[in-house]
Structure formats: structure tokens, C-alpha cells
Amino acid sequence: GAVVSQHPSRVICKSGTSVKIECRSLDFQATTMFWYRQFPKQSLMLMATSNEGSKATYEQGVEKDKFLINHASLTLSTLTVTSAHPEDSSFYICSVRGGSYEQYFGPGTRLTVT
Amino acid sequence: KNEVEQSPQNLTAQEGEFITINCSYSVGISALHWLQQHPGGGIVSLFMLSSGKKKHGRLIATINIQEKHSSLHITASHPRDSAVYICAPGGSQGNLIFGKGTKLSVKP
């Protein structure tokens, strides 16, 4: 399967600042990547679907102007949390869509907003 | 009613026991994933299946599309199997719907 990395693995930022999270597909050209988040003791929830070269598709309730997604190449998608607030503190995970509905997950990024 | 129901929510087993985790879903799917999440948060995809049965080492996954039910079995369980196991049916676009997970603890 594909190897997916995320950077950073952990980040702490002050309220009001922006944070960028990178998701890289190291050995697979990914036309589609997914961004999920997981609040403590809750299920993973899909935030958006990122397609290379086009605008991301956001799930209901996810603000596209707050969570900026850029999928500029087949190996990199970025999620920028703008004007972060403590309620944005969460575990953010990306995945790469492979063939035949397979998905390969990144290791996740734990964001803490103080 | 949740679209994905897993049972049990929590499971404690003794090393060596045979373990079964069940998943029922109400949505139409293209494939169903079983995922493993360790305490640090990282997720590993164990299986993706759309019919029948798959086996990988001590893990077995089955799915019944007509009944909208899947099971994950672990034979000869080991403490290193302790993790959260998540059932995630997927649609044709690849988007997954996640169950709440089953927290498994295997005692030595």
C-alpha cells in the first residue's frame, strides 16, 4: 500500500493564529485525498475531499474559509486551519485514495490551540 | 439511529482468546474497511472487503452484504492486539463513515 506522511505530528498554537498541516503521499500519485478529524473519545469524521488541481469538497458543517485545503500536486495536500480557536483542537488525519476503494492513512497531527 | 453500529464498545480478553467484533451498517456501500487505531492515534487499515471473507495472519474479516453486517475476528489474541478497532463502510466516492470503535484490551 501507499506510504502517507503528515507534518507536523504535533503542534501547539495560540488562539487566532493559523496552522498548516501537510499530507504527503510518498510513493503513490494521489488524485484524491481525504481530511478527517477526531475529537477526544469520538469517531473520525470526514471534513473534506481533496482533489488534485480542483477545489476541495467540504462536508456539511465544515467551514471552507476556515479550513483551507490545497491539493496542488499528486503527492501533497495541505490543510490550513485559519484563526484557530481552542475548539479546533483535535486530531487531524489525512488519507490517500488508492485503487479499488482502498485508503491509506497518515499518522495524524494533534493540534492544540491555547 | 447511527449509520454504523459496532459491538461491543469495550472488550477485555485474556491472552489467547478468540475475539469477535461486530459491525452493522444501514448505508449502501462499495466496500467496508476495518481499521486499527493505537493509543497514539495512528490508523492502520487492516482489511478492505466488499464480499466474502479475508484472512491476514491471525485476523479474519467477513462481510454479508445482504444483511449489511461485517465481523472482525482475532484468533489467539495477544496483548499487542490491544487497540481500538473501527468499522468504516465506504461509498462509491471513497468517503468513509466511521463506527465509534471497539476498544480491545488483551491481558497477559
Side-chain angles (χ1 to χ4, degrees), chain A residues 38 44 91 97 100-101 103, chain B residues 33 37 41 43 48 93-94:
Chain A
Q38 185 180 36
L44 285 153
F91 190 60
R97 179 179 175 178
S100 302
Y101 309 112
Q103 284 197 35
Chain B
H33 296 247
Q37 186 172 31
I43 290 178
M48 185 201 69
Q93 302 304 313

Side-chain angles (χ1 to χ4, degrees), chain B residues 21-92:
Chain B
I21 300 171
N22 293 300
C23 174
S24 295
Y25 55 92
S26 57
V27 295
I29 67 167
S30 296
L32 182 142
H33 296 247
W34 279 101
L35 310 172
Q36 181 191 55
Q37 186 172 31
H38 282 283
I43 290 178
V44 174
S45 179
L46 298 174
F47 293 103
M48 185 201 69
L49 65 165
S50 55
S51 66
K53 175 180 174 179
K54 285 189 176 181
K55 185 176 187 293
H56 185 249
R58 294 181 295 108
L59 303 179
I60 302 167
T62 64
I63 188 168
N64 185 316
I65 296 292
Q66 287 73 29
E67 294 186 4
K68 296 191 173 183
H69 182 269
S70 178
S71 294
L72 176 69
H73 306 283
I74 305 175
T75 61
S77 59
H78 190 276
R80 64 175 175 266
D81 297 326
S82 298
V84 175
Y85 292 84
I86 302 169
C87 168
S92 60

Side-chain angles (χ1 to χ4, degrees), chain A residues 50-85:
Chain A
S50 168
N51 296 297
E52 187 265 339
S54 64
K55 291 183 179 180
T57 303
Y58 290 82
E59 295 299 299
Q60 192 172 8
V62 178
E63 300 175 55
K64 62 179 176 64
D65 295 328
K66 180 172 180 61
F67 298 98
L68 303 179
I69 292 173
N70 185 297
H71 191 162
S73 78
L74 291 172
T75 59
L76 174 65
S77 176
T78 60
L79 168 68
T80 301
V81 183
T82 62
S83 187
H85 286 93

Side-chain angles (χ1 to χ4, degrees), chain A residues 37-46, chain B residues 86 98-101:
Chain A
R37 65 181 168 186
Q38 185 180 36
F39 293 108
K41 299 190 186 302
Q42 294 192 23
S43 306
L44 285 153
M45 295 290 290
L46 177 65
Chain B
I86 302 169
F98 298 87
K100 291 186 176 181

